[in-house]
Amino acid sequence: MIEKHSRRGDLLLLLGFALVVAFAPTIFEPIGGGYPDLLQKFAIYGIFAVGFNILFGLTGYLSFGHAAFLGVGSYTAVWSFKLLTMNVLPALVLATVMGGLFALFIGFIALRRSGIYFSILTLAFAQMSYNLAYSVLTPITNGETGLQLTHGDPRVLDALFGVQHGDGLPSTDLFGMSMSGWSGYYFCGVVLFAMFYVSLRIFRSPFGMMLRAVKSNQNRMNYTGINTRPYTLAAFVISGMYAGLAGGLMAVTDPLAGAERMQWTASGEVVLMTILGGTGTLLGPVLGAGVIKYFENIFSAFNEATLMDVFSFLPETLQHGAVAITGLFVGEGWHLTLGALFMLIVIFLPGGLMEGVNRIKALFRGGLRRGEVRRPATMTG
Amino acid sequence: MAILTVRNVNKRFGGLKALDDVNLEVQPGTVHAIIGPNGAGKSTLLNCFVGRLEPDTGVVDFDGVSLLGMKPHEINQAGVSRVFQTPEIFGDLTLVENVMLPAFARRDGAFRINGWRPVLSETGIRELAMEMLRDVGLADHAQTVASQLSRGDKRRLELAMCLVQEPKLLLLDEPTAGMARADTNNTIDLLKVIAGRGITMVVIEHDMHVVFSLADRVSVLAQGTVIAEDVPERIKGNQKVQDAYLGGAHL
Ligand SMILES: Nc1ncnc2c1ncn2[C@@H]1O[C@H](COP(=O)(O)OP(=O)(O)OP(=O)(O)O)[C@@H](O)[C@H]1O
Ligand SMILES: [Mg+2]
């Protein structure tokens, strides 16, 4: 999909994005999402999805193994906390680099195939990493218990610079700024903004145009003098670095890394986020990540008592009926809601939530009828 | 000296001899047509020039360098552009992006991570692309998505994409196949303009009208062998050629 863009439009987009990140606590308050833990999740999964979209949205290569890079990022960050310092900067830099290196290795092999074979190869690699983390690699991953901080950790940089951590297990920080609560959210928010900006630059660059062309017609690329393999590999590595960074941030908020982060369900989740929000759009992946994490955290927390409250305006029999039906969709049943939402969107808005947003925008501008948003006027010979 | 030299090229598909000792020389600045009945091996021969197929034996030299063993993108970077039997364009990109991309490929080579500077700042490349679109008569639709174009316009776009690369050799496989008469005539006019600029072309064509209005020389291929090569006027009268076309229905 071609987004008509201009410098002014992009500037407004960035400004709007920055404002939402800055005022997220107030914006999400009315829908019950205005607390730091959840907003931090929005930001971290937003980064994961924005990076995934650089691969899937632009080149069309659908990876089913990106959770592997997420896991690698988390393990790397925790090791950095154990061996080097509780400062998050080295941890995040190393997590990003390791995510990229892993992606280089896996991408180099998987990109020899395209379409479903590529997807299967990435899935196989990720499942392999997941199983290795539980078996052969236990010295590095600490197996089922997960990798944790301990009192005996050397933390050589902290020791070198005389950083004191007190008696309990130390917590992560950025030069003394705590990474929990609101400062933790704002740190993740700033990183999200920066990574969104990088993605925007890539989208608007000749490199981004090449990646879109790969999706459009690889055959034409080759006969136009372009070697497509390094382009797809570069996109794969960049998205792997985003995933590594997101995994590192997860460890920042909670310095514990487990193999379940690499499971195929986690890989599938980022695919859902991207498609739900709008594949190949700039904002879509962030939206999709937000919606899914919102459902996961808010809807799953609803129980019968809250529902009774919601329907208390109904007569008693109706109230019980309404609670019985809606009860299926909340609590444990939040997956059902998400599934239904996903189906509705894929059927009615194949371009994801962003297509909906664009249609509404077009309605406001007036004159445009349904469906014309994405299709410029046809021309005749 | 010839810009493209093909010597003793053979290609087998299983038991079928698709190319049987083919020889061909294309002089710079000329239009060389390859004609022949269906299944004669024309497309097979062209595919041997661009790295899609590798001949079993023989020589294919371009500008003094062997093309054998080179990948398609390397051959393009050496100066050979091609249009396909069905136009191959970037359907999801706008027309101007379609033409800018080959221009980037010329300037930046087969691979370069050019990921920070916006396309909008590339005014030189954009102007070049717009000029090409103007040349093929599509400038008014520069912001249209390419998949919306008619077949004839897609061909024009594909030609603009090749021309922006200033190819030393332009290969065309049946450029007017499947086109309406009006589109065919438009395309011929455009090809004449391109030929007038001195760009060397090899054209595979079924339509004799196209061949005789464009070509400086014609090679006739039948069952994988070149049975005649001459100027168009003399090809018309050649008995072997008449026979190959079953009594000359086409001529
Ligand atoms: N990849 C292939 N595998 C097997 N046989 C092939 C292959 N490509 C072409 N052939 C055969 O080689 C012969 C020459 O085919 P080619 O496509 O070169 O003919 P052509 O002159 O281009 O015909 P047309 O005018 O129909 O395009 C045909 O008999 C064809 O069936
Ligand atoms: Mg053919």
Side-chain angles (χ1 to χ4, degrees):
Chain A
M1 182 174 130
I2 308 298
E3 289 171 296
K4 288 271 158 55
H5 59 270
S6 62
R7 280 168 214 272
R8 210 174 62 101
D10 283 350
L11 222 61
L12 284 175
L13 179 66
L14 286 170
L15 191 69
F17 196 90
L19 287 175
V20 171
V21 170
F23 294 105
T26 330
I27 297 170
F28 292 103
E29 185 60 44
I31 56 168
Y35 59 98
D37 285 13
L38 182 63
L39 292 179
Q40 214 158 15
K41 269 196 188 134
F42 284 3
I44 292 173
Y45 280 92
I47 292 168
F48 188 21
V50 165
F52 184 76
N53 188 46
I54 290 173
L55 177 71
F56 177 49
L58 292 180
T59 71
Y61 277 79
L62 177 55
S63 161
F64 264 112
H66 259 52
F69 311 130
L70 200 72
V72 166
S74 286
Y75 283 123
T76 309
V78 175
W79 272 114
S80 166
F81 295 142
K82 286 167 80 69
L83 298 180
L84 301 176
T85 164
M86 290 308 289
N87 190 315
V88 299
L89 276 191
L92 291 179
V93 170
L94 290 172
T96 311
V97 170
M98 283 303 280
L101 284 177
F102 255 70
L104 185 66
F105 172 70
I106 294 183
F108 183 77
I109 295 167
L111 284 165
R112 287 168 186 275
R113 292 285 171 271
S114 59
I116 187 73
Y117 301 101
F118 168 79
S119 303
I120 298 286
L121 279 173
T122 51
L123 176 65
F125 272 113
Q127 282 303 93
M128 224 158 71
S129 315
Y130 170 69
N131 286 314
L132 287 178
Y134 271 134
S135 52
V136 196
L137 295 179
T138 21
I140 301 175
T141 61
N142 203 21
E144 281 183 45
T145 332
L147 192 62
Q148 297 168 349
L149 302 179
T150 61
H151 283 291
D153 292 334
R155 277 184 272 284
V156 287
L157 289 180
D158 283 354
L160 198 66
F161 292 104
V163 182
Q164 301 295 327
H165 286 299
D167 286 342
L169 278 178
S171 54
T172 54
D173 70 272
L174 178 69
F175 305 111
M177 188 175 90
S178 159
M179 286 291 112
S180 59
W182 286 115
S183 57
Y185 160 67
Y186 277 109
F187 178 71
C188 291
V190 167
V191 178
L192 170 65
F193 179 80
M195 295 328 281
F196 180 75
Y197 177 65
V198 170
S199 144
L200 179 108
R201 292 301 294 237
I202 290 176
F203 266 62
R204 302 301 189 228
S205 70
F207 175 65
M209 195 163 102
M210 294 292 175
L211 298 184
R212 280 191 291 137
V214 166
K215 181 178 183 173
S216 189
N217 191 342
Q218 247 193 89
N219 192 38
R220 191 14 118 194
M221 293 281 277
N222 288 324
Y223 289 95
T224 304
I226 288 156
N227 192 2
T228 49
R229 183 79 63 77
Y231 278 102
T232 48
L233 186 58
F236 195 86
V237 169
I238 291 170
S239 70
M241 290 170 79
Y242 268 75
L245 175 63
L249 282 170
M250 285 176 188
V252 164
T253 59
D254 180 13
L256 173 87
E260 75 288 342
R261 215 161 263 173
M262 297 188 166
Q263 219 175 354
W264 67 273
T265 45
S267 294
E269 197 178 43
V270 74
V271 179
L272 290 189
M273 287 171 177
T274 309
I275 294 176
L276 188 74
T279 314
T281 64
L282 273 165
L283 271 178
V286 187
L287 267 182
V291 169
I292 288 185
K293 285 296 143 188
Y294 180 79
F295 272 80
E296 184 185 287
N297 287 275
I298 303 292
F299 266 58
S300 63
F302 276 28
N303 54 28
E304 211 155 296
T306 29
L307 286 178
M308 287 304 249
D309 267 359
V310 172
F311 293 107
S312 58
F313 62 92
L314 294 171
E316 197 162 325
T317 38
L318 277 180
Q319 186 188 7
H320 281 284
V323 169
I325 291 169
T326 49
L328 289 175
F329 290 89
V330 298
E332 292 278 283
W334 73 273
H335 279 114
L336 194 59
T337 322
L338 189 65
L341 180 77
F342 190 76
M343 280 167 65
L344 284 176
I345 288 193
V346 169
I347 292 168
F348 293 106
L349 295 172
L353 291 169
M354 281 311 289
E355 188 182 342
V357 171
N358 286 334
R359 280 193 191 168
I360 293 169
K361 263 202 271 178
L363 271 183
F364 273 104
R365 287 199 190 115
L368 280 179
R369 266 166 287 122
R370 193 165 174 261
E372 281 188 352
V373 186
R374 292 179 62 202
R375 286 171 217 112
T378 47
M379 54 173 297
T380 43
Chain B
M1 202 189 93
I3 190 163
L4 182 71
T5 311
V6 178
R7 238 178 297 127
N8 308 104
V9 164
N10 289 281
K11 180 76 193 172
R12 268 182 183 284
F13 294 117
L16 176 82
K17 213 159 197 319
L19 295 177
D20 189 0
D21 240 7
V22 172
N23 288 283
L24 194 73
E25 286 210 334
V26 179
Q27 300 304 323
T30 64
V31 178
H32 197 120
I34 300 173
I35 65 172
N38 282 83
K42 305 183 294 293
S43 297
T44 306
L45 183 60
L46 194 102
N47 283 332
C48 289
F49 302 162
V50 292
R52 174 167 282 194
L53 289 176
E54 186 88 341
D56 299 333
T57 57
V59 173
V60 180
D61 282 352
F62 169 71
D63 226 6
V65 183
S66 171
L67 293 182
L68 301 184
M70 280 168 85
K71 297 217 177 70
H73 70 266
E74 294 166 339
I75 292 177
N76 175 280
Q77 290 287 355
V80 182
S81 291
R82 76 171 288 188
V83 303
F84 287 78
Q85 204 156 334
T86 8
E88 293 265 355
I89 53 166
F90 302 112
D92 303 329
L93 271 55
T94 62
L95 265 60
V96 65
E97 286 176 322
N98 264 274
V99 188
M100 285 174 81
L101 195 144
F104 279 126
R106 235 342 133 261
R107 192 193 70 184
D108 297 344
F111 172 66
R112 183 174 152 202
I113 297 190
N114 198 351
W116 203 249
R117 191 179 147 86
V119 173
L120 274 177
S121 310
E122 301 277 6
T123 44
I125 296 269
R126 178 171 293 265
E127 265 157 33
L128 191 64
M130 285 307 295
E131 191 185 313
M132 290 303 143
L133 284 175
R134 229 168 284 131
D135 283 356
V136 300
L138 289 171
D140 291 347
H141 307 292
Q143 296 303 330
T144 305
V145 176
S147 58
Q148 312 268 328
L149 296 179
S150 73
R151 175 93 176 228
D153 283 347
K154 279 184 183 156
R155 173 68 72 216
R156 289 169 166 273
L157 175 61
E158 202 185 23
L159 282 168
M161 292 162 74
C162 290
L163 291 179
V164 81
Q165 299 197 306
E166 297 183 344
K168 291 186 206 151
L169 174 64
L170 180 57
L171 305 173
L172 305 103
D173 193 351
E174 306 199 32
T176 63
M179 267 187 203
R181 193 75 237 172
D183 275 341
T184 304
N185 288 335
N186 276 332
T187 307
I188 297 174
D189 289 344
L190 183 58
L191 291 176
K192 277 185 186 161
V193 173
I194 296 169
R197 291 185 188 169
I199 293 176
T200 315
M201 290 197 263
V202 172
V203 188
I204 292 178
E205 191 50 76
H206 268 304
D207 191 324
M208 291 306 133
H209 174 59
V210 179
V211 171
F212 292 121
S213 57
L214 266 179
D216 299 307
R217 276 195 93 73
V218 181
S219 293
V220 185
L221 209 59
Q223 289 169 341
T225 8
V226 178
I227 55 167
E229 194 204 307
D230 216 327
V231 293
E233 294 73 40
R234 281 207 290 270
I235 285 290
K236 281 187 210 181
N238 187 309
Q239 192 53 47
K240 278 205 281 187
V241 178
Q242 300 266 352
D243 293 345
Y245 273 92
L246 293 173
H250 287 66
L251 300 171

